[in-house]
C-alpha cells in the first residue's frame, strides 16, 4: 500500500511512523524505494512496547535516532501518538463504512474528519491554545528567489 500510495510522482515521504515498522522494516530493508525513508515507531510504542533486545528495532526504528524529528528544545516536531488515537477513532466507523462504495466512503470520511477537526480546533481555542491551519506557500514564490 505504501508503494502504491507514494510511488506516484516519486513522492516517498522522508519518514513513516507505524507501530509495526520493526516488521515492515525487515520486509523492505533491501527495497531501494525505502532507501531514504525513516521507518520509525511512535515514541510511546518504542518506550513501552519494544524490547531492548530487539536490535533491529533499536537500530532502525528508534525515533530518537532521527535528529531531524526533534526540535531544538528537545521536543518532537510531530505528535506521533496522535496517529494511534486517530486510528482508534476511525475504527469506530469501520462497521458503517464496510459496505460503502468508494464515492460514498470518501465523502463520509472526509466529512467526519472535517467535523472532528472543527471540534478539536474549538476545544484547543477554548483551552487557550493557538490552533491555526497550516498553509502551503506558493511554490512559485519559493523558486523565484
Amino acid at each position: 500500500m505504501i508503494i502504491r500510495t507514494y510511488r506516484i510522482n516519486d513522492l516517498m515521504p522522508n519518514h513513516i511512523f507505524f507501530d509495526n515498522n520493526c516488521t515492515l522494516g525487515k520486509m523492505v530493508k533491501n527495497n531501494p524505494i525505502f532507501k531514504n525513508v525513516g521507518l520509525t515507531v511512535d515514541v510511546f510504542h518504542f518506550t513501552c512496547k519494544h524490547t531492548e533486545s530487539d536490535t533491529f528495532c533499536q537500530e532502525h526504528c528508534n525515533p530518537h535516532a532521527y535528529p531531524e524529528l526533534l526540535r531544538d528544545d528537545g521536543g518532537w516536531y510531530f505528535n506521533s501518538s496522535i496517529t494511534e488515537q486517530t486510528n482508534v477513532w476511525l475504527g469506530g466507523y469501520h462497521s458503517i463504512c464496510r459496505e460503502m462504495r468508494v464515492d460514498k466512503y470518501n465523502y463520509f470520511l472526509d466529512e467526519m474528519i472535517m467535523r472532528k477537526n472543527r471540534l478539536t480546533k474549538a476545544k484547543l481555542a477554548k483551552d487557550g491554545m493557538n490552533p491555526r491551519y497550516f498553509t502551503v506557500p506558493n511554490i512559485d514564490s519559493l523558486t523565484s528567489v
Side-chain angles (χ1 to χ4, degrees):
M1 183 207 69
I2 293 170
I3 293 171
R4 275 188 267 135
T5 300
Y6 292 107
R7 193 59 201 257
I8 300 168
N9 299 324
D10 293 322
L11 294 176
M12 286 294 283
N14 294 333
H15 292 276
I16 297 174
F17 287 94
F18 178 51
D19 60 359
N20 200 10
N21 263 343
C22 295
T23 303
L24 177 65
K26 291 173 187 172
M27 292 171 48
V28 300
K29 67 181 177 185
N30 295 321
N31 187 329
I33 293 171
F34 289 89
K35 178 182 168 191
N36 296 315
V37 178
L39 297 174
T40 55
V41 295
D42 141 54
V43 177
F44 172 78
H45 268 81
F46 186 77
T47 53
C48 298
K49 306 282 183 177
H50 295 269
T51 63
E52 290 184 28
S53 61
D54 184 346
T55 55
F56 184 87
C57 183
Q58 294 292 325
E59 292 174 16
H60 300 284
C61 302
N62 181 351
H64 295 279
Y66 296 90
E68 63 272 21
L69 299 176
L70 289 167
R71 296 188 314 244
D72 291 337
D73 65 3
W76 298 97
Y77 278 111
F78 303 100
N79 180 354
S80 60
S81 296
I82 196 66
T83 58
E84 291 295 320
Q85 296 168 21
T86 302
N87 283 337
V88 169
W89 175 75
L90 285 170
Y93 297 103
H94 181 74
S95 62
I96 296 171
C97 297
R98 187 176 322 179
E99 300 297 325
M100 289 184 184
R101 292 188 177 168
V102 172
D103 56 342
K104 192 176 277 189
Y105 173 85
N106 287 338
Y107 174 79
F108 177 79
L109 283 183
D110 183 59
E111 187 63 28
M112 295 308 292
I113 291 168
M114 291 300 288
R115 288 175 186 230
K116 175 77 169 167
N117 287 346
R118 281 188 220 111
L119 290 171
T120 301
K121 186 176 183 228
K123 182 186 181 313
L124 289 170
K126 181 181 173 229
D127 292 346
M129 303 296 179
N130 185 20
R132 60 191 183 282
Y133 292 106
F134 176 76
T135 57
V136 178
N138 181 340
I139 192 72
D140 294 331
S141 67
L142 295 175
T143 57
S144 63
V145 174

